[in-house]
Amino acid sequence: MLLDTFGRQAVDLRVSLTDRCNLRCTYCMPEEGLQWLAKPELLTDEEIVRLVTLAVRDLGVREVRFTGGEPMLRPGLVSIVTACAELEPRPELSLTTNGIGLARTATALRQAGLDRVNVSLDTLDADTFFTLTRRHRHQDVLDGLAAAEAAGLAPVKLNAVLMRGVNDHEAADLLAWCLEHGYELRFIEQMPLDAQHGWDRSQMVTAEEILDRLHARFSLTPEPSSARGAAPAERWLVDGGPASVGVIASVTRPFCRACDRTRLTADGQIRNCLFATGETDLRTALRSGGTDAEIGELWRTAMWGKKAGAGIDNPEFLQPARPMSAIGG
Ligand code: SAM
Ligand code: SF4
């Protein structure tokens, strides 16, 4: 088991498949991109499958989510999903993606055993999409969403980050559009995880503001907290349900005390929190002939040291050295 000193158990593994991306979201990366990891530093497909196998078989992991960077850029994605779907006990498999390329790959991913996708889309307007991502790929994302739905990767979830003065006026429109299409929308408060350190607490659109904007058009009923489990999103039933909307308020209403996540970076480091300042190197152990028992012990020790909370809203908060795209969002 992956336990920590606060009694939490990590059962949800986030695997970053690459730090690269084909978009340049302003809240994530600078326009020129980043210094990408060199190929030899990246875990191979086989190394990833070995670590996921160990996590599922020996460490109690029940859910595996592939992310990045943009995980669809990883050539071995479908075969990694196939191998993970054959594990016993079979973990739940999902993917967080910007949706580009999903139109082509959704069916293959579904057939490989992927259960669900979260697609990130912050705006319904193609020009605003360009302002936010610096790429003209809005239609590709819309096509990807439709393909995911058609392939049965349901329920399709949509992640949206609101940026003041850019797309924050679209909160209610995004929700109306998701209701119309049967997508489950979750807003994410902007976090201080961008490489260029551009996050400004005073400019951030808070959960409270997001809810105010939604309340102007919809009636929202909070879901009982017992229904939330370890989910980072607080959820509200929209206009009496059954549709719902979520808000992940990592800054203003953090939910660290129920966190059940463990993270593996594309270069084989374990992080016990998105905001951890330290990492545990599994790649060296893997490549120097470490046994499953030895690697499992390193992983357990990494999780045991997990802090009580990230404390983003505290004055002494320190942004981690690696940006979100390199950790795996
Ligand atoms: N490229 C994929 C995507 O965009 O879905 C997966 C990786 S991305 C880092 C994962 C999620 O993190 C996306 O939903 C994205 O909007 C969100 N994200 C990125 N930077 C963020 C930030 N600074 N604050 C909050 N969410 C952020
Ligand atoms: Fe790429 Fe996702 Fe970061 Fe946007 S949020 S730049 S799509 S990794």
Side-chain angles (χ1 to χ4, degrees):
M1 302 283 184
L2 296 171
L3 301 170
D4 67 40
T5 55
F6 298 93
R8 295 169 295 193
Q9 184 189 347
V11 294
D12 178 347
L13 168 61
R14 309 269 147 153
V15 182
S16 173
L17 295 181
T18 175
D19 58 333
R20 290 172 193 248
C21 194
N22 41 13
L23 295 183
R24 294 287 182 273
C25 303
T26 53
Y27 48 77
C28 185
M29 277 189 202
E31 180 150 25
E32 63 278 12
L34 296 165
Q35 178 79 46
W36 311 122
L37 290 166
K39 185 113 194 277
E41 295 178 74
L42 291 176
L43 295 183
T44 62
D45 294 356
E46 293 72 25
E47 286 171 332
I48 289 172
V49 172
R50 177 168 171 209
L51 290 177
V52 174
T53 304
L54 199 159
V56 169
R57 194 192 56 207
D58 301 343
L59 302 175
V61 161
R62 296 196 290 264
E63 277 183 64
V64 180
R65 173 173 293 274
F66 300 104
T67 180
E70 177 41 51
M72 299 277 293
L73 294 180
R74 176 112 189 177
L77 174 63
V78 173
S79 63
I80 291 172
V81 171
T82 304
C84 293
E86 286 165 1
L87 295 176
E88 289 287 340
R90 161 77 156 82
E92 262 196 57
L93 298 174
S94 56
L95 175 75
T96 299
T97 170
N98 62 28
I100 296 170
L102 205 49
R104 220 178 34 250
T105 323
T107 302
L109 285 168
R110 180 76 188 120
Q111 284 168 354
L114 191 73
D115 297 306
R116 280 176 294 111
V117 283
N118 281 56
V119 177
S120 302
L121 178 65
D122 305 324
T123 175
L124 301 174
D125 179 78
D127 293 331
T128 308
F129 184 88
F130 179 74
T131 305
L132 280 165
T133 66
R134 305 178 177 112
R135 297 288 186 272
H136 292 289
R137 307 297 296 267
H138 191 239
Q139 191 58 47
D140 292 324
V141 181
L142 299 182
D143 293 347
L145 273 162
E149 176 81 23
L153 291 165
V156 173
K157 292 192 181 170
L158 204 132
N159 290 349
V161 177
L162 295 181
M163 299 294 282
R164 193 173 303 286
V166 182
N167 65 335
D168 54 334
H169 60 286
E170 285 193 71
D173 290 343
L174 276 165
L175 178 53
W177 188 80
C178 284
L179 294 175
E180 191 185 309
H181 287 81
Y183 304 145
E184 243 181 80
L185 175 63
R186 302 180 325 162
F187 292 98
I188 309 177
E189 273 182 349
Q190 188 199 357
M191 295 181 276
L193 282 170
D194 55 316
Q196 60 278 29
H197 292 242
W199 184 81
D200 175 352
R201 173 71 176 81
S202 66
Q203 282 303 303
M204 189 195 96
V205 181
T206 62
E208 198 180 337
E209 285 180 79
I210 297 167
L211 291 167
D212 282 349
R213 288 181 179 276
L214 298 181
H215 271 301
R217 203 181 306 171
F218 302 95
S219 101
L220 303 180
T221 325
E223 276 199 339
S225 52
S226 55
R228 185 173 177 186
E234 279 179 85
R235 299 208 313 183
W236 286 262
L237 289 180
V238 182
D239 291 339
S244 65
V245 64
V247 179
I248 302 181
S250 306
V251 180
T252 62
R253 286 137 88 143
F255 203 55
C256 303
R257 82 192 136 76
C259 177
D260 66 352
R261 294 181 181 182
T262 180
R263 294 172 183 275
L264 175 64
T265 65
D267 57 349
Q269 311 297 306
I270 293 297
R271 298 180 66 96
N272 56 26
C273 171
L274 197 47
F275 295 95
T277 44
E279 301 183 338
T280 298
D281 179 15
L282 295 192
R283 189 186 62 197
T284 301
L286 264 177
R287 292 185 181 172
S288 56
T291 62
D292 284 356
E294 285 161 352
I295 294 168
E297 191 50 36
L298 282 173
W299 203 328
R300 269 192 289 270
T301 305
M303 295 312 294
W304 186 251
K306 182 167 169 142
K307 285 194 190 152
I312 310 172
D313 234 3
N314 299 342
E316 63 275 17
F317 172 77
L318 274 182
Q319 181 169 340
R322 291 223 237 191
M324 172 96 126
S325 55
I327 297 169

